[in-house]
Amino acid sequence: MNAKSTALSYKEAGVDIEAGDALVDRIKPLAKATLRPEVLAGIGGFGALFEMPKGYKEPVLVSGTDGVGTKLKLAFALNRHDTIGIDLVGMSVNDILVQGAEPLFFLDYFATGRLSVDTGASVVAGIAKGCEMAGCALIGGETAEMPGMYAEGEYDLAGFAVGVVEKAQMLTGKRVQSGDRVLGLASSGFHSNGYSLVRAVLEKVLGEISPKSLAGVELPCSWSLDETRPLSDLLLAPTRIYVKPVLEALRTHQSAIHAMAHITGGGLVGNVPRVLPKGLKAALKAGSWPMPSVMHWVQDQGGIETDEMHRVFNAGIGMVLVVAAEQAEVIAATLTAAGERVYAMGEITAQSAGEPATIIR
């Protein structure tokens, strides 16, 4: 047998180096638009270089990593990839924000079985947009083409964010006390949590998840309740990025903001207690904030108990701030002026033995 006739190339094995190079070329201008002055070297090298911002006396680096979960399966089914990158950024930068940190830079990991340059570029364009919204630089990442690891047309994502906070201004929850007020910032929808349950409901009601099966269903928009949007738009609404409004509130009201919680997996009941000292609980008033119509639809169609909704989803609140009672109204006004929808949800009180750390009633 002729050896030449049986010789294989990397491309024939399923890895297209040229497609990878083409994607990098598409990514570079997207990343360039997010650069900060501290970036010394970004896309293209073996490692990105970032200089510590000036003006900090005792800088503390805060890092976070996350993915998008099974919301990706919905993006695959609907063949929509332009906002999923915003989710990726939002899940990480909102996490480090709650400790008072300003996000500095972001890296992504994109893995697929067969690389589509157009799909990859659409995803990274969303990542770049999310970085611009958060004020951080997209300085690096990794694209991996791994034949046989993923179904045709599917991919996975991971994100990594690094931020900085002055040591004396870190939010740890230690200053939270009984009588503090709880403010909630509206979410844009499900963000990136609970999609295994969302998809189960859709499959139960529609039989399959596709552009055709979702066509014709419209609901009020969670952010502009006087508008209606296609159900597919509401299901894929990207995670709201709270960085710039919350950092502005911290600059103005630093001493009065005692703690913050990003409402992700585990919902309100699981995430608010993470920032409360032992012996305290969050007493939240049911009905003091609206749950998005798309969540009501999923709850009704799936016959989901309200307690389960609060345990799985953000229930319409993507970020919680625990603040000094006497400053609650002015902090709410600052956040409202910055474009957030703010709700007075309740207060911090003493926790009795055996009592949950978050009560909604």
Side-chain angles (χ1 to χ4, degrees):
M1 184 178 291
N2 189 323
K4 280 193 174 182
S5 66
T6 61
L8 286 173
S9 68
Y10 209 14
K11 187 172 184 178
E12 288 168 324
V15 179
D16 190 338
I17 295 174
E18 287 77 15
D21 292 341
L23 180 57
V24 171
D25 288 341
R26 295 269 288 271
I27 289 171
K28 283 182 177 179
L30 300 174
K32 186 176 180 180
T34 71
L35 294 186
R36 295 171 50 118
E38 299 91 350
V39 176
L40 303 180
I43 301 291
F46 286 98
L49 303 177
F50 193 96
E51 186 177 37
M52 183 64 70
K54 295 177 174 59
Y56 285 88
K57 296 178 181 177
E58 292 184 283
V60 174
L61 294 178
V62 183
S63 61
T65 183
D66 212 334
V68 182
T70 60
K71 188 173 186 176
L72 285 174
K73 299 289 284 186
L74 195 60
F76 303 153
L78 300 179
N79 194 28
R80 293 175 55 176
H81 312 281
D82 56 329
T83 59
I84 209 76
I86 299 175
D87 286 295
L88 186 67
V89 176
M91 295 303 287
S92 289
V93 297
N94 286 341
D95 269 357
I96 66 174
L97 173 66
V98 301
Q99 289 160 299
E102 175 193 2
L104 297 176
F105 59 85
F106 188 85
L107 300 97
D108 69 275
Y109 175 76
F110 176 94
T112 187
R114 184 191 299 258
L115 180 61
S116 163
V117 176
D118 287 341
T119 298
S122 183
V123 171
V124 176
I127 294 172
K129 184 174 181 180
C131 286
E132 288 189 71
M133 294 166 70
C136 63
L138 175 58
I139 61 172
E142 173 69 12
T143 300
E145 190 173 20
M146 299 187 288
M149 287 290 289
Y150 301 92
E152 184 69 26
E154 296 193 356
Y155 54 84
D156 198 12
L157 291 173
F160 312 87
V162 174
V164 64
V165 61
E166 192 72 70
K167 189 174 184 179
Q169 297 175 353
M170 288 190 303
L171 293 179
T172 63
K174 290 181 179 179
R175 291 190 289 128
V176 174
Q177 57 188 341
S178 183
D180 281 353
R181 298 295 189 263
V182 179
L183 301 179
L185 306 186
S187 69
S188 54
F190 291 104
H191 286 186
S192 296
N193 296 106
Y195 274 87
S196 294
L197 180 53
V198 170
R199 288 168 43 245
V201 171
L202 292 173
E203 289 169 355
K204 172 186 173 183
V205 174
L206 305 174
E208 67 170 1
I209 303 173
S210 68
K212 183 178 179 181
S213 68
L214 268 66
V217 183
E218 294 200 351
L219 298 169
C221 174
S222 62
W223 204 260
S224 302
L225 298 178
D226 55 338
E227 299 179 26
T228 60
R229 298 276 179 85
L231 177 59
S232 56
D233 287 0
L234 298 177
L235 291 170
L236 284 176
T239 301
R240 188 161 180 83
I241 293 175
Y242 299 99
V243 172
K244 291 181 180 179
V246 169
L247 287 179
E248 177 60 31
L250 283 171
R251 282 189 286 267
T252 309
H253 312 286
Q254 181 73 50
S255 62
I257 298 176
H258 295 164
M260 296 190 291
H262 182 201
I263 309 306
T264 56
L268 288 164
V269 296
N271 285 287
V272 176
R274 296 169 67 179
V275 299
L276 300 182
K278 187 176 181 180
L280 295 178
K281 72 174 185 292
L284 308 182
K285 183 179 179 182
S288 61
W289 74 92
M291 190 166 73
S293 59
V294 67
M295 291 188 184
H296 282 295
W297 186 88
V298 166
Q299 181 178 15
D300 293 343
Q301 297 295 323
I304 304 169
E305 298 289 338
T306 297
D307 285 350
E308 182 75 352
M309 293 293 292
H310 288 157
R311 197 166 63 91
V312 176
F313 303 118
N314 63 52
I317 298 295
M319 183 73 70
V320 160
L321 284 74
V322 179
V323 305
E326 64 275 11
Q327 293 293 312
E329 288 189 11
V330 69
I331 293 171
T334 296
L335 290 163
T336 300
E340 297 300 325
R341 285 166 53 204
V342 187
Y343 299 96
M345 302 175 65
E347 64 179 330
I348 304 301
T349 63
Q351 180 188 26
S352 302
E355 194 175 25
T358 302
I359 293 178
I360 304 174
R361 63 187 175 201

